[in-house]
Amino acid sequence: MRVVSPEQQSVWTQLLVASFPILIIIAVFMFFMRQMQGGGGGRGGPMSFGKSKAKLLGEDQITTTFADVAGVEEAKEDVQELVEFLRDPGRFQKLGGQNTPGVC
């Protein structure tokens, strides 16, 4: 009767076999992270809901005038509320309003 010892794998083969599942998990994780960020293609994605699509306009690009909103009651009320805030900001701060510099 002959005893046959099992064939030993090289260190590199053992390392490759041991690290393969970890590499697969990292690849899947990176794939999902790219998908959540929109993939870099500018198509939005599920995490784009917090990004503002507002654009800064120059004075020459503004086409709405006071005459356009003259009959709108909401615009009048907003302007009146703004004037009241500028006259007495303490009243609004008691209700929780904040005067943030640079924000209209």
Side-chain angles (χ1 to χ4, degrees):
M1 179 187 298
R2 280 183 14 180
V3 177
V4 179
S5 63
E7 194 175 304
Q8 293 288 331
Q9 294 179 343
S10 71
V11 175
W12 293 109
T13 307
Q14 288 178 351
L15 185 63
L16 181 65
V17 170
S19 63
F20 187 70
I22 295 170
L23 293 174
I24 293 294
I25 291 171
I26 291 172
V28 169
F29 178 75
M30 290 178 63
F31 173 76
F32 281 116
M33 290 304 291
R34 285 185 53 106
Q35 290 296 323
M36 288 176 58
Q37 291 177 353
R43 64 182 187 270
M47 299 302 285
S48 67
F49 59 86
K51 297 177 183 168
S52 175
K53 293 179 176 68
K55 296 179 182 175
L56 185 62
L57 297 177
E59 288 185 29
D60 57 335
Q61 296 172 318
I62 299 173
T63 58
T64 306
T65 63
F66 284 113
D68 294 335
V69 294
V72 180
E73 290 300 317
E74 285 184 25
K76 289 181 184 177
E77 291 172 5
D78 288 344
V79 172
Q80 287 174 349
E81 187 175 328
L82 180 62
V83 170
E84 289 176 23
F85 174 75
L86 293 174
R87 286 186 181 154
D88 187 17
R91 187 174 116 210
F92 289 89
Q93 289 171 352
K94 289 178 190 174
L95 297 173
Q98 297 179 359
N99 185 7
T100 307
V103 177
C104 296

